[in-house]
Amino acid sequence: MSLARTQASALAVPDRATSVGAIRERVAAWRAAGERVALVPTMGNLHAGHLSLIELAAEHADRTVVSIFVNPTQFGPTEDIDNYPRTPAEDEAVLAQQGKTDLLFVPGIADIYPHGTDRSVSVQLPPIADELCGRSRPGHFNGVASVVLRFLNIVMPEVLVLGRKDYQQMVLISRMIHDLQIDVELISGDIVREPDGLAMSSRNRYLTTEQRAIAPELSKTLELTAEKLRSGDANFATHKDAALETLASVGFKPDYIELRNADDLSPADPTDNTRAQVLMAAAWLGRARLIDNVQV
Ligand code: AMP
């Protein structure tokens, strides 16, 4: 037995369900008792960002279901799903320590894709899914939406909790909920950062020590750019070039920096202060593709 498991067993270890039938049964009992249920979907390798969403879930619902599922349909053919960090014992230990998860849902691939992943029914998102991160990850968001829809149908939660770290994902899932008339309230949580500003992410563990020291430059650059816009200097094209150059000069391979309207991700007019805007970026640092965003 690992140390993590030994510690977990002394704490509030969440119940675990692996089958669709088992989870439906548990949630049905809660619902019959008039309890509100929240779902926090994750791919595991849990960190403080995930835990903050579970905290938020507990504020909005009586029961919290956390799912851990590394979803094959959101990984592209060149993306290495096999190397995605999987830390089930540690995940269970941190959930036990936090003590706010009522049920941990850890399905297998066949539970979620009973007809296999290749010929499964999938969600086709609107074209905004092909921009920003979708440009370099074709089909990624359709895969995300397809798995989130399945989880919503299985758990049927009143509340879905997502992080604003994955801002495009959050907006697209919101769009799917409205467009497909799904009866769930979407609540989003702030980005949780390391003390040096780096947004927490399971992918940060791909960074070498040297790259980890460079990584906070992404959030710093975004914050600096946002500050220029906030101070009324609306020449975004110039700011963007400067930001891309800064990132490249410290060792990133920038993918994009874009200014978008926060509600629908349409391109934002930097002189328009009637709409909330979000500055979004993705950049490669070694093996890791880091994403981040700041509200302007
Ligand atoms: P993942 O396990 O990476 O698929 O993420 C699961 C959920 O956690 C998603 O809703 C993410 O947006 C959210 N999340 C990931 N990292 C953070 C973070 N640093 N702060 C807040 N939420 C996060």
Side-chain angles (χ1 to χ4, degrees), residues 174-187:
S174 168
R175 177 67 198 277
M176 174 181 81
I177 287 169
H178 290 126
D179 227 351
L180 299 185
Q181 320 275 2
I182 304 171
D183 189 13
V184 69
E185 181 186 354
L186 173 60
I187 290 173

Side-chain angles (χ1 to χ4, degrees), residues 41-43 47 49-50 53 162-163 165-166 169 190-192 200:
T42 81
M43 297 207 296
H47 51 66
H50 296 114
L53 301 183
L162 299 176
K165 157 89 184 346
D166 299 84
Q169 167 175 292
D190 280 340
I191 301 177
V192 176
M200 288 191 181

